[in-house]
Amino acid sequence: MAHVLVTGGTGFLGSHTIARLLASGHKVTTTLRSLKRQPDVEKMLSKADAPWRERVSYVEADLTSDAGWDQAAAGVDYVLHIASPFPGSHPRDENELIIPARDGARRVLRAARDADVRRVVLTSSFAAVGYGHGPTDRVFSEADWTSLDGPGVTPYIKSKAVAERAAWDFIAAEGKGLELTTINPVGIFGPVLGPDYSSSIRIIHAMLTGTMRAAPPIWTNTVDVRDAADLHIKAMTSPDAAGQRYLALAGEPISFQQIALTLRSQLGEAAAKAPTRSAPAWLLRLLSTVSPQLRDTVPQLGVVRRASNAKAREQLGWAPRSNEESVVASARSLVRLGLLAD
Ligand code: NAP
């Protein structure tokens, strides 16, 4: 049994990861911005049927402050640094995301190093790999980095790329033997455990509630949250994983239209409002001139980004679920938990 610190226990990936660590027999400390959220995490762990829930301890720590991080890392073998701001809308200032993501990663690494932690696994993102390159046919791998000055780099994408760079720089300059591995997931789907679900699930929510009346010509890659959590845990202990990045994705990209059709065919009546029509790119471009919300989607229209999961499969024996399985699991969980009312 290892003692693992998971940052961001209230999060979609954070809560699933805690549940899977407990099921594997580990002891967990998790950080929350406010300890008032402890009952919410306990409820999510119960929904996930996590065993040994009394083996979780809670520490208050915010990525924007030094307070709490040394306490959180004390006596810990491994850190899974998952917390990072992931809002559903644009911040007024990009630094609202970049500063907590970057400085928070440094705080966590510093606390881990000072507590003699063996390895930190940091949740980065495909956002740090495959953006800002313009149209390309190539299949992205762990060797790629997002180009911060390129087209379509939103504040969130920037925050993930800058934070991952800062983490590798910290390890090189002041890591003193601390090991780092990054997991770079694409869009995370799969079952939600409560009402505070991640921004990635909003696509499924919008389809099921009929808010998305027509599917835009957008392609996404997916990974199931349970598989992303398992990959973090595999990367935590595998000797091969030290100093490595791993892309976390199910396989081929899937279009919003394919997602809507999958939901309709698998959920029947519950997905009756999922769009059957597609929205033409020219119309979305036109509407984006008056809708700031649509403006962000314009650089993504018609862009298909392919990436490879071969490294995680081959080095870590990872076998993820399909795109269809994870989007259907998200939809079923939203229905089951009664989360479709606004
Ligand atoms: P989420 O549910 O929004 O979780 C984000 C977590 O980060 C929450 O626990 C949140 O705490 C915490 N957090 C945010 N700002 C913080 C701060 N200043 N101090 C301390 N904690 C803070 O999103 P998620 O999908 O689980 O994301 C988890 C990780 O995966 C993030 O690093 C995200 O960038 C990465 N990721 C997500 C996706 C995706 O599609 N979902 C794809 C690739 C990578 P509160 O609950 O207090 O806000």
Side-chain angles (χ1 to χ4, degrees):
M1 176 176 84
H3 184 180
V4 184
L5 169 62
V6 176
T7 67
T10 51
F12 180 41
L13 178 58
S15 53
H16 272 280
T17 305
I18 296 172
R20 295 182 98 74
L21 284 165
L22 293 173
S24 310
H26 299 299
K27 178 180 157 188
V28 175
T29 294
T30 189
T31 58
L32 310 180
R33 283 204 254 200
S34 162
L35 287 180
K36 288 195 189 119
R37 298 287 315 274
Q38 183 176 332
D40 297 335
V41 180
E42 287 168 344
K43 238 184 257 172
M44 290 194 281
L45 295 178
S46 156
K47 278 270 178 298
D49 281 331
W52 312 111
R53 298 199 285 275
E54 65 285 1
R55 287 190 186 164
V56 184
S57 48
Y58 296 84
V59 174
E60 198 165 277
D62 193 299
L63 295 171
T64 58
S65 154
D66 287 336
W69 293 109
D70 288 342
Q71 187 198 340
V76 153
D77 302 301
Y78 303 102
V79 174
L80 305 185
H81 175 41
I82 295 176
S84 200
F86 187 27
S89 55
H90 260 334
R92 262 166 304 160
D93 176 350
E94 64 178 18
N95 282 323
E96 287 175 34
L97 305 187
I98 294 170
I99 290 175
R102 181 196 61 205
D103 295 2
R106 287 186 185 136
R107 284 192 170 93
V108 170
L109 288 165
R110 198 170 297 121
R113 178 200 62 195
D114 294 348
D116 289 328
V117 164
R118 269 183 247 171
R119 184 178 298 171
V120 174
V121 179
L122 177 141
T123 316
S124 182
S125 174
F126 183 64
V129 174
Y131 287 81
H133 301 285
T136 172
D137 285 340
R138 83 164 182 275
V139 178
F140 287 100
S141 77
E142 287 80 358
D144 291 301
W145 277 91
T146 285
S147 166
L148 291 180
D149 304 324
V153 175
T154 63
Y156 171 72
I157 291 173
K158 205 166 178 181
S159 77
K160 296 304 289 180
V162 167
E164 191 191 327
R165 276 278 187 215
W168 288 116
D169 289 349
F170 177 93
I171 289 295
E174 0 172 6
K176 297 191 177 149
L178 174 66
E179 293 175 352
L180 176 66
T181 302
T182 67
I183 303 297
N184 296 67
V186 295
I188 305 178
F189 294 87
V192 305
L193 299 174
D196 184 15
Y197 48 77
S198 172
S199 302
S200 47
I201 304 295
R202 286 172 193 227
I203 300 163
I204 308 294
H205 188 276
M207 287 186 180
L208 294 180
T209 53
T211 323
M212 189 188 290
R213 304 240 284 276
I218 292 180
W219 275 255
T220 183
N221 283 291
T222 82
V223 63
D224 192 285
V225 66
R226 296 162 289 184
D227 296 325
D230 284 345
L231 187 56
H232 280 72
I233 298 169
K234 282 179 183 293
M236 180 176 94
T237 50
S238 164
D240 289 342
Q244 300 295 325
R245 309 169 89 197
Y246 292 96
L247 280 168
L249 69 150
E252 284 294 302
I254 183 169
S255 69
F256 278 26
Q257 196 167 25
Q258 284 170 287
I259 294 177
L261 288 174
T262 303
L263 297 183
R264 279 180 162 266
S265 77
Q266 298 294 309
L267 272 87
E269 192 49 35
K273 293 181 185 160
T276 49
R277 288 175 300 138
S278 58
W282 65 263
L283 180 62
L284 295 167
R285 283 201 183 91
L286 186 68
L287 292 174
S288 74
T289 56
V290 288
S291 160
Q293 253 185 329
L294 275 180
R295 217 161 289 154
D296 266 0
T297 64
V298 167
Q300 315 305 337
L301 296 173
V303 178
V304 183
R305 290 185 181 82
R306 291 201 159 73
S308 168
N309 61 15
K311 185 171 169 182
R313 281 180 178 277
E314 286 161 18
Q315 286 189 6
L316 302 179
W318 186 61
R321 290 166 180 78
S322 67
N323 287 326
E324 288 75 14
E325 211 178 320
S326 65
V327 296
V328 167
S330 293
R332 286 200 205 288
S333 67
L334 290 170
V335 174
R336 191 172 55 246
L337 300 183
L339 297 175
L340 292 176
D342 282 333

